[in-house]
Every structure is written in structure tokens, then in C-alpha cells.
Amino acid sequence: MRVEIWSDIACPWCYVGKARFEKALGAFPHRDEVEVVHRSFELDPHRAKGDVQPVLTMLSKKYGMSEAQAQAGENNLGAQAAAEGLDYRTTGRDHGNTFDMHRLLHLAKERGRQDELIQILYRANFAEERSVFSEGDERLVELAVEAGLDAEEAREVLADPTAYADAVRADEREAAELGANGVPFFVLDRTYGVSGAQPAEVFTQALTQAWGERSPLRLVDDGGAEACGPDGCAVPQN
């Protein structure tokens, strides 16, 4: 079974939702037969690469709230994250464009290191003092290397704005086609969708239901046509 997760590194509920999903997946009897693929979704796709601002300022402007209200929201998110065993800095974080991170995640997918990189990027953005937005490409290269990617290959991707750009945009178009207008958005075997950072129990129910309703293979015709098997190939007799 395949689970696709549309998310953004700048999304705190994606950070929390991933932990809740993984808690459910860890207890799922068929977890070794579940493939997890991370898909791209930018919450702020029109923000320029160099446009970085404090999270509280961004929230105040975007939602028309006071900074005190924005801080209260961050404190609530910090408590939610802590309940899942996650570190979360409720003050001092910044916000910026995540397009380059998504491009690196597509490189990581090709190298079999996608889950490692997305978790490292989440940790760096939500739990560490150093910024993933304002320190330039070398900060992202450093994190890519920590995830097991080659430093020069990561630098080449970041230096070429077209590298994996089409893959990111394709993910985003697909999200729109599936009806996802927010993240995290989980799609199980292209049959069930789960929106938001749901409790682990909801993910357990979704995994169980999707697994139980997988369609068995149906043979169109088993009319005895020649085939090869463990014992060899049938030789037609004249």
C-alpha cells in the first residue's frame, strides 16, 4: 500500500501530523508493506526567495491578528508538538520560501533519502536556532549531507533553479486535482484522503480500512495459455 503525504516545511501542522501518522504506522501490523512518499506543497509559493521575516510578523499580517494572538497560537503549537515528543521553538523563528527545499526533497527521493531529509528540515526549521531561510544555500547543503546526500550534488541542484522544478509543480497540480487546499494531506492508495494533523487513532482507522479494502487481482482469463513457472516453461506438443 502507498501513502502519499502532501506537506510543506513551513507548515507546523505538517511537522506534528507526520509524528502522529508515524505513531499509527509504527503500530500497524502491515507497516513493512506500506510505502510512504512525500509530495510537494508550498504554503507561500509567491514569496521571493530572499523575502524572510519573523513568523509572528508573517502570521499577524496574513491573518490580521495581533502579535500577542500570534504568539498564543505558537505556544499552543509548541504544546501540541511536545505531546508528540517533538521540540518546537515558540519564539525567534522566521519564515520564507520553501521551493528549494522541495527541489532537494525530490533529489532525496531519487537517492532513497527523502524521509530522512524531510525530518531533518522539519527539525531545523521548528526546533533549531539557525535559520533554514536566511543563511543561504550552504545551510541547506549541510542539512542535505546530514540526510545522506552528496554535498556537490545538492549544490548543483540548488544552483540550477530548473532542477526538479517541474517535479515540484507537478506535485502541486496533483494536489489541486485531488482537492487538497491545505496541508498536511494524506492519500492512501489513491482511495482515501485524510486532511490535517489528525490524532493517531484516525490514521490507524484509515490505514486499517484502506488495507482491508484493497482490491485483489482479478484474472481476465485463465484459459490455460502457455506460461513459464517455477518448474520451467511448457513446451507445446505437436
Side-chain angles (χ1 to χ4, degrees), residues 84-105:
E84 304 303 330
L86 300 172
D87 292 328
Y88 189 98
R89 293 179 65 228
T90 58
T91 60
R93 292 194 305 106
D94 58 13
H95 175 81
N97 182 285
T98 58
F99 188 60
D100 284 348
M101 297 181 214
H102 286 293
R103 295 194 301 115
L104 281 178
L105 283 165

Side-chain angles (χ1 to χ4, degrees), residues 3-226:
V3 178
E4 296 162 279
I5 307 173
W6 272 264
S7 60
D8 191 12
I9 299 304
C11 165
W13 289 118
C14 296
Y15 180 47
V16 173
K18 182 176 185 291
R20 291 175 177 172
F21 169 76
E22 288 177 345
K23 182 182 292 184
L25 182 61
F28 187 55
H30 309 286
R31 60 186 177 277
D32 292 338
E33 298 174 73
V34 177
E35 176 192 13
V36 178
V37 178
H38 297 281
R39 301 290 192 190
S40 299
F41 190 108
E42 294 171 275
L43 290 173
D44 205 353
H46 303 297
R47 181 178 290 271
K49 180 176 179 178
D51 183 6
V52 180
Q53 64 182 158
V55 165
L56 294 184
T57 303
M58 179 274 294
L59 291 173
S60 297
K61 290 181 178 179
K62 185 172 183 177
Y63 298 108
M65 62 175 67
S66 69
E67 288 208 1
Q69 289 172 316
Q71 184 61 66
E74 283 294 285
N75 292 342
N76 175 57
L77 277 162
Q80 299 265 6
E84 304 303 330
L86 300 172
D87 292 328
Y88 189 98
R89 293 179 65 228
T90 58
T91 60
R93 292 194 305 106
D94 58 13
H95 175 81
N97 182 285
T98 58
F99 188 60
D100 284 348
M101 297 181 214
H102 286 293
R103 295 194 301 115
L104 281 178
L105 283 165
H106 278 278
L107 168 66
K109 180 185 175 185
E110 289 189 355
R111 301 295 179 265
R113 309 298 296 176
Q114 190 186 46
D115 194 69
E116 288 81 1
L117 180 58
I118 197 168
Q119 191 60 37
I120 286 169
L121 290 172
Y122 278 142
R123 184 204 70 208
N125 184 40
F126 292 110
E128 296 182 357
E129 291 188 13
R130 294 178 62 192
S131 172
V132 296
F133 299 109
S134 63
E135 291 195 23
D137 288 352
E138 280 306 302
R139 172 64 169 149
L140 296 183
V141 170
E142 175 187 314
L143 296 171
V145 169
E146 185 180 342
L149 298 179
D150 178 75
E152 284 307 311
E153 191 171 31
R155 285 192 188 97
E156 288 173 6
V157 168
L158 292 170
D160 178 4
T162 67
Y164 299 101
D166 288 345
V168 175
R169 298 305 183 211
D171 276 358
E172 293 174 336
R173 286 194 301 271
E174 198 163 14
E177 291 166 2
L178 290 169
N181 53 19
V183 285
F185 189 69
F186 302 77
V187 177
L188 290 75
D189 261 358
R190 291 298 171 108
T191 302
Y192 291 96
V194 178
S195 181
Q198 300 286 349
E201 295 76 15
V202 173
F203 290 118
T204 297
Q205 179 183 356
L207 287 165
T208 302
Q209 189 165 347
W211 183 269
E213 294 185 13
R214 290 179 308 145
S215 297
L217 184 67
R218 298 177 182 177
L219 290 176
V220 174
D221 185 0
D222 63 352
E226 291 83 359

